[in-house]
Amino acid sequence: MPLLIDDAPALPLDAQGILELAARSMFHLFSSVSQGMFLVDLSGRIVWVNEGYQRFLPDLGFSSVDQFVGRMVEEVIPNTGMRRVLETGNPVLIDLLTNKAGTFVVSRIPLRDDAGGVIGAIGIVLFDHPETTLQPLISKFALLQRDLDDARRELASQRRRTLAVAGDGERRAKYTFASFIGSSPAAAEVKRQARRAAQSSSPVLLLGETGTGKELLAHAIHAASSRASGPFVSVNIAAVPDTLLEAEFFGVAPGAYTGASAKGRDGKFKLADGGTLFLDEIGDMPQSLQAKLLRALQEGEIEPLGSNKLVPFNVRILAATSRDLAGLVREGRFREDLFYRLHVLPVRVPPLRARRSDIPALVESLGDDLALRNGTPPPELLPAAMALLAGQPWRGNIRELRNVIEQAVMRSEGQSIDAAQLERILREAGVEPAAPVQDTTVVVAEAEDASRYLRPLAEQVAELEQRAIQAAMKAHGGNKLATARQLGISRATLYGRLENPE
């Protein structure tokens, strides 16, 4: 028999009663559908945990609730932000927490007395397996966090260099991964590979066209490696005459030949001892020196010119070339054994035309650099000028782009740069301008794609969660038990999400 309206339970008539009812209802709801909850008092001491949260205790190092309750929250939950909530009274509705128990999406809400004062806080674990249900969002967050960390390290490094005594002669990396501008898929992939290479001690071979940023990545790999505190020494093989390369690499013993210094001269291997040696344009190395370089790399020791002593060294090798090294091997112009010695961790740096969506960010960075050096306001490229830049093939890559931007800034009467100015500069350089990229191309499409993330995080989390549930339900033919297992959540949680998708 249906319940008559007159028989339905009545809501409290006063506002306070309604608030209390809502608070009780929400507390019970969160306690039942969340993955776990706990309460702390004003001092930060844990006073209560629900049954759901107790399953995380073993991973946090506790075998019983009694060991957990009564302890200060910072002592038992690494990386918690609960103290800030207690001190400020401001809630944190959505946050990511990572500790030895896993990665969680959490909320932290202050509790107040009748006078409005903070008397404690409640912590709620909304998701305990975000790596499956929220994987796209987690990946983007992790990428942004790495870039932020890189930027912080670079700023700190710049401050240290500014404070250092000028001309101290130290050889250090000048760039980090934050210096490699770009967020396109191609740029993100090359940074991922380079970061991975930084964790190894094997040789790295940077491949790519001229001007793509190979030397910058070499600096960044060194700066992110375990050798970061050691020297970073580079030598451009193409810029050193063949007759001087052996002395440049291995050094010269005192009085080795007429006119040689009585004190001798250290080579690049000796200078880089304990750090990294970057061999730029390795494809231009003469064959007469390739065998000696191979022996040095195999034996870990060098013999300076005019000396009979073998000098051991401890150097990590990074090499780069814009030439087809494998083709040179086939032609017999580069030793195959040396190629395999260097080709351990190859990283191919993409040309600028393969990451056109990075051009606006590169232009902004180059403009800021010019403005800083010249003491002028940064240039402003009109939309048509930016579209023209995005459409060019850029055979000289970022180096060519920098040259065009610098010419435009130096020759412009005002701060704005239009497409006509850039076309003149390109033609004067012997380049026929390609058609500009229109607004419907990948550059704008990627910008619009990025704008999807400029929304409240809670809204994005809910949207991603529903997509994950729908995909899993479809994959398992509507089987809720299999879906819950796939997503790493309980069946009760899945039912709740299906009934109340918001």
Side-chain angles (χ1 to χ4, degrees), residues 16-348:
Q16 184 61 33
I18 292 176
L19 287 175
E20 292 175 357
L21 174 62
R24 288 196 302 272
S25 299
M26 291 183 66
F27 183 86
H28 290 305
L29 175 64
F30 275 118
S31 183
S32 60
V33 303
S34 70
Q35 302 304 307
M37 292 174 56
F38 66 92
L39 294 176
V40 298
D41 60 19
L42 185 58
S43 70
R45 194 176 305 279
I46 294 179
V47 297
W48 174 83
V49 295
N50 74 344
E51 184 177 355
Y53 198 93
Q54 292 178 25
R55 61 195 177 97
F56 303 130
L57 298 188
D59 289 331
L60 292 172
F62 301 95
S63 57
S64 69
V65 177
D66 293 337
Q67 294 177 340
F68 189 76
V69 173
R71 304 279 293 275
M72 302 303 289
V73 66
E74 295 91 345
E75 297 176 5
V76 295
I77 305 178
N79 303 326
T80 181
M82 190 64 79
R83 179 65 59 183
R84 184 170 180 80
V85 174
L86 294 171
E87 292 174 350
T88 65
N90 297 324
V92 178
L93 299 181
I94 295 289
D95 195 14
L96 283 172
L97 171 67
T98 298
N99 54 39
K100 54 189 176 182
T103 298
F104 310 93
V105 178
V106 301
S107 288
R108 306 181 187 100
I109 302 172
L111 301 175
R112 301 180 182 275
D113 59 16
D114 294 338
V118 176
I119 57 174
I122 181 170
I124 305 171
V125 179
L126 300 175
F127 304 103
D128 61 344
H129 288 283
E131 64 273 14
T132 54
T133 57
L134 305 177
Q135 196 276 333
L137 187 60
I138 296 297
S139 297
K140 185 167 287 291
F141 171 85
L143 180 62
L144 291 173
Q145 186 65 50
R146 284 198 301 269
D147 286 343
L148 177 60
D149 292 340
D150 287 340
R152 286 171 174 164
R153 282 194 292 269
E154 181 170 15
L155 287 173
S157 177
Q158 289 175 349
R159 284 194 292 268
R160 287 194 298 269
R161 288 199 297 269
T162 301
L163 295 174
V165 178
D168 60 1
E170 288 190 355
R171 298 171 182 265
R172 293 288 183 265
K174 299 177 182 177
Y175 309 105
T176 68
F177 288 115
S179 307
F180 192 89
I181 305 298
S183 57
S184 65
E189 174 61 17
V190 76
K191 284 193 279 189
R192 184 193 69 80
Q193 293 180 15
R195 282 193 180 96
R196 186 173 182 181
Q199 306 309 310
S200 170
S201 59
S202 298
V204 177
L205 182 60
L206 298 165
L207 303 167
E209 298 175 6
T210 180
T212 51
K214 299 186 294 297
E215 183 174 0
L216 185 152
L217 281 174
H219 282 260
I221 290 172
H222 171 76
S225 73
S226 59
R227 295 174 176 262
S229 59
F232 178 86
V233 178
S234 63
V235 54
N236 189 320
I237 295 172
V240 181
D242 292 357
T243 54
L244 299 180
L245 267 176
E246 186 172 354
E248 188 76 10
F249 275 119
F250 307 129
V252 179
Y257 51 83
T258 303
S261 170
K263 295 182 179 179
R265 180 173 178 268
D266 289 336
K268 300 301 186 186
F269 274 93
K270 182 64 175 177
L271 293 174
D273 193 39
T276 300
L277 177 59
F278 174 50
L279 307 177
D280 200 6
E281 299 298 347
I282 188 70
D284 292 338
M285 174 171 282
Q287 289 182 291
S288 59
L289 190 59
Q290 291 176 22
K292 295 182 178 180
L293 175 61
L294 175 63
R295 179 174 177 79
L297 297 181
Q298 288 177 336
E299 304 299 331
E301 56 190 19
I302 56 174
E303 185 176 342
L305 282 177
S307 173
N308 293 322
K309 277 189 174 183
L310 293 175
V311 180
F313 66 86
N314 175 20
V315 167
R316 198 265 178 97
I317 296 294
L318 306 180
T321 182
S322 57
R323 306 182 67 177
D324 179 7
L325 213 55
L328 295 178
V329 171
R330 289 192 296 271
E331 296 170 7
R333 297 163 60 190
F334 196 89
R335 290 183 64 102
E336 187 174 14
D337 45 8
L338 178 57
F339 172 76
Y340 290 125
R341 187 75 185 182
L342 298 173
H343 197 266
V344 178
L345 292 172
V347 176
R348 187 165 294 278

Side-chain angles (χ1 to χ4, degrees), residues 289-462:
L289 190 59
Q290 291 176 22
K292 295 182 178 180
L293 175 61
L294 175 63
R295 179 174 177 79
L297 297 181
Q298 288 177 336
E299 304 299 331
E301 56 190 19
I302 56 174
E303 185 176 342
L305 282 177
S307 173
N308 293 322
K309 277 189 174 183
L310 293 175
V311 180
F313 66 86
N314 175 20
V315 167
R316 198 265 178 97
I317 296 294
L318 306 180
T321 182
S322 57
R323 306 182 67 177
D324 179 7
L325 213 55
L328 295 178
V329 171
R330 289 192 296 271
E331 296 170 7
R333 297 163 60 190
F334 196 89
R335 290 183 64 102
E336 187 174 14
D337 45 8
L338 178 57
F339 172 76
Y340 290 125
R341 187 75 185 182
L342 298 173
H343 197 266
V344 178
L345 292 172
V347 176
R348 187 165 294 278
V349 187
L352 189 52
R353 58 186 172 277
R355 52 187 191 104
R356 297 181 188 275
S357 60
D358 292 332
I359 288 179
L362 284 164
V363 169
E364 181 179 357
S365 176
L366 294 171
D368 289 343
D369 181 58
L370 288 171
L372 184 63
R373 287 196 284 117
N374 298 326
T376 59
E380 177 185 351
L381 269 72
L382 299 179
M386 189 68 76
L388 179 69
L389 293 180
Q392 303 313 303
W394 299 118
R395 299 299 175 187
N397 294 291
I398 300 171
R399 190 175 290 122
E400 182 185 0
L401 176 64
R402 175 188 288 275
N403 177 266
V404 170
I405 296 299
E406 189 163 9
Q407 285 195 60
V409 170
M410 294 297 103
R411 296 162 61 171
S412 177
E413 296 294 333
Q415 190 175 345
S416 297
I417 297 173
D418 59 27
Q421 293 172 276
L422 298 177
E423 286 181 353
R424 285 196 298 271
I425 292 171
L426 288 170
R427 286 195 173 97
E428 289 173 7
V431 177
E432 184 59 31
V437 170
Q438 301 302 318
D439 289 344
T440 55
T441 60
V442 65
V443 175
V444 176
E446 288 192 7
E448 290 176 350
D449 182 68
S451 68
R452 295 191 300 110
Y453 297 99
L454 303 179
R455 296 179 291 142
L457 186 57
E459 180 181 329
Q460 297 183 58
V461 168

